[in-house]
Coordinates of all heavy atoms in Angstrom, one line a residue:
T56 N 183.8 84.1 76.4 CA 184.4 83.1 77.3 C 183.8 83.1 78.7 O 183.6 84.2 79.2 CB 186.0 83.4 77.4 OG1 186.5 83.4 76.1 CG2 186.6 82.3 78.2
A57 N 183.5 81.9 79.2 CA 183.0 81.9 80.6 C 183.9 82.5 81.5 O 185.1 82.3 81.5 CB 182.7 80.4 81.0
G58 N 183.4 83.4 82.4 CA 184.3 84.2 83.3 C 184.8 85.5 82.7 O 185.3 86.3 83.4
G59 N 184.6 85.7 81.4 CA 185.0 86.9 80.8 C 184.1 88.0 81.1 O 182.9 87.8 81.3
S60 N 184.6 89.3 81.0 CA 183.7 90.4 81.3 C 184.1 91.6 80.5 O 185.2 91.6 79.9 CB 183.8 90.8 82.8 OG 185.2 91.2 83.2
G61 N 183.3 92.6 80.5 CA 183.5 93.8 79.7 C 182.6 94.9 80.3 O 181.7 94.6 81.2
S62 N 182.8 96.1 79.9 CA 181.9 97.2 80.4 C 181.4 98.1 79.3 O 182.1 98.2 78.3 CB 182.6 98.0 81.5 OG 183.7 98.6 81.0
S63 N 180.3 98.6 79.5 CA 179.7 99.6 78.6 C 178.6 100.4 79.3 O 177.9 99.8 80.2 CB 179.1 98.8 77.4 OG 178.5 99.7 76.5
N64 N 178.5 101.6 79.0 CA 177.4 102.5 79.6 C 177.3 102.5 81.1 O 176.3 102.5 81.7 CB 176.1 102.1 79.0 CG 176.0 102.3 77.5 OD1 175.9 103.4 77.0 ND2 176.1 101.2 76.7
G65 N 178.5 102.3 81.7 CA 178.5 102.3 83.2 C 178.0 101.0 83.8 O 177.7 101.0 85.0
V66 N 178.1 99.9 83.0 CA 177.6 98.6 83.5 C 178.7 97.6 83.2 O 179.3 97.6 82.1 CB 176.3 98.2 82.8 CG1 175.9 96.8 83.1 CG2 175.2 99.2 83.1
V67 N 179.0 96.7 84.1 CA 179.9 95.5 83.9 C 179.0 94.3 83.5 O 178.1 94.0 84.2 CB 180.7 95.2 85.2 CG1 181.7 94.0 84.9 CG2 181.5 96.4 85.7
I68 N 179.4 93.7 82.4 CA 178.7 92.5 81.9 C 179.6 91.3 82.1 O 180.8 91.4 81.7 CB 178.3 92.7 80.4 CG1 177.4 93.9 80.3 CG2 177.5 91.5 80.0 CD1 178.1 95.1 79.8
V69 N 179.1 90.2 82.5 CA 179.9 89.0 82.8 C 179.3 87.8 82.1 O 178.1 87.6 82.3 CB 180.1 88.8 84.3 CG1 181.0 87.6 84.5 CG2 180.7 90.0 85.0
N70 N 180.1 87.0 81.5 CA 179.7 85.7 81.0 C 179.8 84.7 82.1 O 180.9 84.4 82.5 CB 180.5 85.3 79.8 CG 180.1 84.0 79.2 OD1 179.5 83.1 79.9 ND2 180.4 83.8 77.9
M71 N 178.7 84.2 82.6 CA 178.7 83.3 83.7 C 178.7 81.8 83.3 O 178.6 80.9 84.1 CB 177.5 83.5 84.6 CG 177.4 84.9 85.2 SD 178.8 85.3 86.2 CE 178.5 84.3 87.7
G72 N 178.9 81.6 82.0 CA 179.0 80.2 81.4 C 177.7 79.8 80.8 O 177.6 79.4 79.7
T73 N 176.6 79.9 81.6 CA 175.3 79.5 81.1 C 174.4 80.7 80.9 O 173.3 80.6 80.3 CB 174.6 78.6 82.0 OG1 174.5 79.2 83.3 CG2 175.3 77.3 82.1
N74 N 174.8 81.9 81.3 CA 174.0 83.1 81.2 C 174.9 84.3 81.4 O 176.1 84.2 81.7 CB 172.9 83.2 82.2 CG 173.3 83.3 83.6 OD1 174.3 82.6 84.0 ND2 172.7 84.2 84.4
F75 N 174.4 85.5 81.2 CA 175.1 86.7 81.4 C 174.5 87.5 82.5 O 173.3 87.5 82.7 CB 175.1 87.6 80.1 CG 175.9 87.0 79.0 CD1 175.3 86.1 78.1 CD2 177.2 87.4 78.8 CE1 176.0 85.6 77.0 CE2 177.9 86.9 77.7 CZ 177.4 85.9 76.8
I76 N 175.3 88.2 83.3 CA 174.8 89.1 84.3 C 175.4 90.5 84.0 O 176.4 90.6 83.4 CB 175.2 88.7 85.7 CG1 176.7 88.6 86.0 CG2 174.5 87.3 86.1 CD1 177.1 88.5 87.4
A77 N 174.7 91.5 84.6 CA 175.2 92.9 84.4 C 174.9 93.6 85.7 O 173.8 93.6 86.3 CB 174.4 93.6 83.3
I78 N 176.0 94.4 86.2 CA 175.9 95.1 87.4 C 176.5 96.5 87.2 O 177.4 96.7 86.4 CB 176.8 94.4 88.5 CG1 176.3 93.0 88.8 CG2 177.0 95.2 89.8 CD1 175.0 92.9 89.6
A79 N 175.9 97.5 87.9 CA 176.4 98.8 87.8 C 177.9 98.9 88.1 O 178.4 98.2 89.1 CB 175.7 99.8 88.8
Q80 N 178.7 99.7 87.4 CA 180.1 99.7 87.5 C 180.6 100.7 88.6 O 181.7 100.5 89.1 CB 180.7 100.1 86.1 CG 182.2 100.0 86.1 CD 182.8 100.2 84.7 OE1 182.2 100.9 83.9 NE2 183.9 99.6 84.4
R81 N 179.9 101.7 88.9 CA 180.3 102.7 89.8 C 180.1 102.3 91.2 O 179.0 102.1 91.7 CB 179.6 104.0 89.5 CG 180.1 105.2 90.2 CD 179.4 106.5 89.7 NE 180.0 107.7 90.1 CZ 179.7 108.3 91.3 NH1 178.8 107.8 92.1 NH2 180.4 109.4 91.6
C82 N 181.2 102.2 92.0 CA 181.1 101.8 93.4 C 180.3 102.7 94.2 O 180.4 104.0 94.0 CB 182.5 101.7 94.0 SG 182.5 101.2 95.7

Side-chain angles (χ1 to χ4, degrees):
T56 305
S60 63
S62 63
S63 180
N64 296 284
V66 176
V67 181
I68 303 99
V69 182
N70 180 335
M71 299 300 288
T73 57
N74 66 316
F75 291 86
I76 63 170
I78 298 289
Q80 187 172 28
R81 189 173 191 272
C82 180

